[in-house]
Amino acid sequence: MRMYDLIMKKRDGGVLRRDEIEYMVREYTADHISDYQMSAMMMAIYFRGMNAEETSALTLAMAHSGEMMDLSAIDGVKVDKHSTGGVGDKTSIALTPMAAACGVKIAKMSGRGLGHTGGTIDKLESFPGFDTSLTSRRFVRQVNEIGVAIMGQTADIAPADKKLYALRDVTATVDQMSLIASSIMSKKLASGADAIVLDVKTGSGAFMKNEEDAFALAKEMVTLGRMAGRKTVAVISDMDQPLGFAVGNALEVREAIQTLRGKGPADFTALCMTLGAQMLIAGGAASDEREAYAMLRHSVEDGSALKKLAAFVEAQGGDPAAVYDTSLLPAASLVREIASDRAGYVSHIDCQEVGICSLLLGGGRETKESVIDLSVGLVLHKKVGDYVAAGESLATIYANDEEKLRQAAERFLRAYRFAVEPPQRGELIKGILS
Ligand code: URA
């Protein structure tokens, strides 16, 4: 078999056979296929798509490209959660300790930033010393001991996805439904959890810009999970504007901590409750949404969720003091307000542009080798529906470089649209597929 022939077949609209997909994944993982040929294949798939059989074959080949984790040494139902990616999406940082404080066993594998979106692993590294490269043995022990562990993808778990994820990030081939479904589900299947709660984003800051595509992606992933014998639920949620106010790694960690203190943004808190309820039900800790909501609220009110975050940070080598004193998190040297040059009601925010602003500041990767700056980003003061007077601050920008700050601020201003009348606000939760 030759990679050249497979690229040509897909480029011309053909359907790849299971053995062809297995060959491609195996040889790429072993470094026998070059990045440039795989980039061409990703672009061909981007334009030609894959059918359900191809997507399933790619998912299983990537899941089996490394170790399939055995979590049977952990008692009870192990729950994993994954977002398809968004801007300001710090959900896992607040939600996993909340759910763990309610008795759910969280065994989660997370990714780094992708395209204009942030990644949980990068965000967690804002805690000084935090280690995301756990061995399977340490991962299992930690879930048994404190109820929650989050690891990055090691070279052993779905290594094919790890390589492809980094390649897609820098070749503009992220936002393709089958590639997203197989990337996420291969990791979820390899990391061994019994139940998977998916947060499928839709809107200008998501990879799936329209709701129809987001529902189709959700359906595809739920089917892949079910076929592999995992209880799988998908929540389809809004990403037409950033979630909460903070965008940027350490800034988002601060907002997640505020949320665990009961002082988080309304939209972010509501999403944590919706996803958390699904996790509690899937994990057998609550019998229905009403009970789950009450338990999650209680975990914030009695401080047990915040305590769980500190225990989780400490268990992974991070400084738990940063949970109680967020001045210990990375901080930028330049802090400026971005004043609005117009007045009116905010009618639309190009959420992807806001993500790109954070990336331009250094908060995301431009190449596979880029080192990111955890301290930079933006904190929005105005969201859709808010009234803004001319000269009023739309956001605070955090940077370490004057030129990057200037470019990002200019671009940020162009991401906002205004109207004379207040716009209709969209629903945060578009639907739940289970
Ligand atoms: N998250 C992933 O893990 N993979 C994707 O392709 C997109 C979001």
Side-chain angles (χ1 to χ4, degrees):
M1 225 175 267
R2 290 195 322 149
M3 186 62 176
Y4 183 93
D5 299 329
L6 302 187
I7 297 169
M8 196 160 61
K9 183 173 184 183
K10 187 41 88 180
R11 184 200 68 185
D12 295 342
V15 173
L16 297 173
R17 296 191 314 267
R18 182 169 293 270
D19 62 317
E20 290 173 331
I21 290 173
E22 285 168 356
Y23 160 83
M24 174 175 99
V25 168
R26 186 179 61 246
E27 296 302 306
Y28 181 60
T29 311
D31 293 331
H32 298 154
I33 291 174
S34 62
D35 274 350
Y36 56 80
Q37 281 196 309
M38 193 51 108
S39 301
M41 175 58 91
M42 290 296 108
M43 196 54 88
I45 292 175
Y46 185 91
F47 284 113
R48 292 297 189 172
M50 290 203 298
N51 67 22
E53 285 73 34
E54 289 174 294
T55 308
S56 160
L58 181 60
T59 306
L60 293 176
M62 292 205 297
H64 289 277
S65 64
E67 179 190 350
M68 295 294 283
M69 278 177 79
D70 176 9
L71 303 184
S72 58
I74 303 171
D75 289 336
V77 182
K78 280 74 70 182
V79 182
D80 195 347
K81 173 256 160 199
H82 202 92
S83 153
T84 57
V87 178
D89 184 6
K90 68 284 295 176
T91 312
S92 295
I93 312 215
L95 174 59
T96 53
M98 277 165 83
C102 295
V104 179
K105 294 276 172 58
I106 311 289
K108 172 163 167 52
M109 183 182 292
S110 285
R112 296 197 177 273
L114 190 64
H116 65 280
T117 69
T120 302
I121 290 298
D122 295 329
K123 289 170 202 180
L124 284 171
E125 286 176 353
S126 302
F127 289 107
F130 197 96
D131 182 8
T132 55
S133 49
L134 307 184
T135 59
S136 329
R137 187 192 287 207
R138 187 169 155 202
F139 184 69
V140 166
R141 194 180 62 219
Q142 188 177 316
V143 180
N144 266 331
E145 282 173 7
I146 63 164
V148 52
I150 300 184
M151 65 186 283
Q153 220 170 334
T154 62
D156 302 330
I157 313 284
D161 173 65
K162 190 176 161 86
K163 278 190 82 181
L164 273 178
Y165 189 93
L167 190 71
R168 287 167 57 222
D169 188 23
V170 292
T171 54
T173 50
V174 172
D175 46 340
Q176 203 284 332
M177 201 180 299
S178 298
L179 293 179
I180 296 176
S182 56
S183 164
I184 293 178
M185 294 311 291
S186 64
K187 286 190 277 277
K188 301 296 103 179
L189 300 185
S191 54
D194 308 303
I196 303 161
V197 175
L198 300 164
D199 180 10
V200 180
K201 304 288 195 190
T202 177
S204 64
F207 293 122
M208 296 293 106
K209 305 288 183 218
N210 69 61
E211 275 185 42
E212 205 183 327
D213 288 346
F215 272 90
L217 173 62
K219 199 167 161 215
E220 193 150 357
M221 288 197 290
V222 169
T223 306
L224 288 167
R226 289 281 156 96
M227 271 163 36
R230 314 292 169 90
K231 194 186 266 186
T232 311
V233 181
V235 172
I236 297 90
S237 74
D238 181 66
M239 188 36 74
D240 214 25
Q241 59 176 336
L243 186 61
F245 299 109
V247 179
N249 298 285
L251 295 167
E252 293 187 38
V253 168
R254 284 191 179 85
E255 189 163 82
I257 291 171
Q258 278 300 97
T259 305
L260 291 178
R261 293 183 194 285
K263 295 180 188 141
D267 60 347
F268 178 56
T269 306
L271 182 66
C272 286
M273 297 299 279
T274 304
L275 290 165
Q278 296 305 323
M279 290 169 80
L280 264 58
I281 294 167
S287 49
D288 57 27
E289 288 184 9
R290 204 183 148 97
E291 187 187 4
Y293 272 84
M295 290 169 74
L296 290 162
R297 260 196 300 273
H298 190 250
S299 76
V300 172
E301 284 161 9
D302 72 359
S304 57
L306 192 68
K307 254 198 223 151
K308 188 61 82 178
L309 175 66
F312 157 54
V313 169
E314 187 167 22
Q316 294 199 210
D319 182 1
V323 171
Y324 300 103
D325 176 4
T326 55
S327 71
L328 298 172
L329 296 169
S333 56
L334 304 171
V335 181
R336 302 271 163 76
E337 298 306 313
I338 306 179
S340 176
D341 48 4
R342 285 154 292 170
Y345 289 94
V346 179
S347 58
H348 176 75
I349 302 174
D350 186 331
C351 188
Q352 177 162 323
E353 279 295 300
V354 177
I356 292 173
C357 290
S358 175
L359 203 140
L360 284 178
L361 291 167
R365 290 177 187 79
E366 299 280 355
T367 68
K368 285 207 291 181
E369 291 74 30
S370 303
V371 175
I372 63 174
D373 183 342
L374 296 168
S375 67
V376 299
L378 301 124
V379 175
L380 277 59
H381 304 308
K382 301 289 179 181
K383 294 192 47 177
V384 173
D386 291 342
Y387 183 77
V388 187
E392 206 179 345
S393 177
L394 285 179
T396 307
I397 185 162
Y398 296 80
N400 286 314
D401 179 300
E402 282 287 357
E403 181 51 23
K404 287 181 183 170
L405 185 152
R406 193 191 59 72
Q407 280 178 16
E410 233 178 74
R411 200 154 170 168
F412 181 81
L413 274 174
R414 290 202 301 269
Y416 272 67
R417 268 194 250 133
F418 296 89
V420 178
E421 299 293 332
Q424 255 197 329
R425 295 176 203 232
E427 292 291 318
L428 176 69
I429 306 299
K430 313 286 183 190
I432 299 179
L433 292 188
S434 61

